[in-house]
């Protein structure tokens, strides 16, 4: 809060004149059961209790509000219009992903958070690939930078999923602004979750999709 309220201790009780010095006999309120100081302390604790009740009510209201929809949910899997592929025997086509649960990693080798998140992505892939979840990477890097991407992928253990380079058009169609961005697509090719970290709820979204397969 940018503005400040004056401290309760600095406020005088209503109707009381501030004494000119400490020797004024009339300022001692000899007949009053409560001194000005004790009255101020009581007002302070009443204010604290009121603020606590208000905070509790606000927290309850916020908790009951529905969570906003995921900004990446409800989008179709974009066409695989890319420059080429790494870790793929042949270029992937749309039919290769049709009917599958797909997690897409939009990333780049020059992106520090993307690189730091790779170990988590490797663990995710090892844990879920046998459950029928396909992982695919997209980077907009192209031209001379492709060799750098290949060198990076080959130097890291566990990065064995298909990675597309020259995927700038794909990322533009998905309106990817910040990376890393992870998007989970269901078997119909529609995104159900997206985030900038695998800790943002991908496990819950994936569990929901896998539960549908068992019905």
């Amino acid at each position: 809060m940018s503005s400040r309220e004056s401290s309760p201790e600095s406020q005088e009780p209503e109707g009381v004149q501030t004494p000119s010095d400490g020797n004024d006999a009339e300022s001692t309120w000899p007949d009053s059961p409560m001194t000005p100081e004790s009255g101020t302390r009581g007002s302070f604790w009443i204010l604290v209790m009121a603020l606590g009740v208000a905070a509790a009510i606000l927290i309850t209201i916020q908790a009951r509000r529905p969570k906003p929809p995921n900004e990446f949910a409800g989008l179709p899997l974009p066409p695989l219009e890319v420059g080429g592929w790494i870790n793929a025997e042949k270029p992937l086509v749309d039919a290769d992903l049709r009917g599958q649960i797909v997690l897409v990693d939009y990333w780049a080798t020059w992106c520090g958070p993307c690189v730091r998140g790779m170990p988590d992505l490797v663990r995710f892939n090892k844990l879920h690939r046998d459950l029928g979840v396909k992982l695919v990477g997209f980077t907009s890097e192209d031209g001379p930078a492709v060799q750098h991407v290949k060198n990076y992928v080959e130097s890291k253990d566990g990065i064995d999923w298909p990675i597309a380079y020259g995927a700038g058009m794909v990322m533009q169609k998905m309106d990817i602004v910040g990376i890393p961005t992870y998007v989970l697509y269901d078997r119909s090719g529609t995104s159900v979750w997206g985030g900038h970290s695998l800790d943002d709820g991908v496990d819950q979204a994936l569990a929901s999709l896998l539960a549908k397969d068992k019905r």
Side-chain angles (χ1 to χ4, degrees), residues 30-93:
D31 298 328
S32 175
M34 180 181 295
T35 65
E37 183 179 350
S38 63
T40 302
R41 284 200 299 266
S43 299
F44 171 76
W45 287 113
I46 291 175
L47 176 60
V48 170
M49 293 175 62
L51 290 175
V53 172
I57 294 174
L58 180 60
I59 292 173
T60 302
I61 293 175
Q62 292 289 349
R64 291 180 177 178
R65 287 181 177 176
K67 294 182 178 180
N70 190 283
E71 62 177 312
F72 296 102
L75 303 174
L77 186 66
L80 304 182
E81 300 171 357
V82 300
W85 291 88
I86 302 171
N87 287 343
E89 296 181 359
K90 60 183 182 65
L92 266 66
V93 295

Side-chain angles (χ1 to χ4, degrees), residues 70-79 104 106 138 167-178 181-185 189-195:
N70 190 283
E71 62 177 312
F72 296 102
L75 303 174
L77 186 66
V104 172
Y106 297 96
F138 289 93
M169 185 175 296
V170 174
M171 298 174 75
Q172 184 177 2
K173 288 184 177 181
M174 280 296 298
D175 196 23
I176 301 299
V177 178
T181 293
Y182 309 98
V183 181
L184 183 67
Y185 298 86
T190 303
S191 60
V192 297
W193 170 90

Side-chain angles (χ1 to χ4, degrees), residues 125-204:
N125 188 46
K126 290 181 179 180
L127 185 62
H128 298 101
R129 60 187 174 189
D130 291 339
L131 299 177
V133 180
K134 192 172 186 65
L135 179 58
V136 181
F138 289 93
T139 175
S140 61
E141 294 167 283
D142 206 355
V146 172
Q147 188 59 50
H148 178 65
V149 178
K150 291 180 178 179
N151 293 341
Y152 173 81
V153 171
E154 292 173 357
S155 67
K156 304 298 181 182
D157 293 335
I159 304 181
D160 54 6
W161 55 87
I163 295 177
Y165 57 83
M169 185 175 296
V170 174
M171 298 174 75
Q172 184 177 2
K173 288 184 177 181
M174 280 296 298
D175 196 23
I176 301 299
V177 178
I179 54 176
T181 293
Y182 309 98
V183 181
L184 183 67
Y185 298 86
D186 63 14
R187 296 189 186 280
S188 71
T190 303
S191 60
V192 297
W193 170 90
H196 302 293
S197 169
L198 295 180
D199 295 329
D200 289 344
V202 65
D203 288 336
Q204 294 89 330

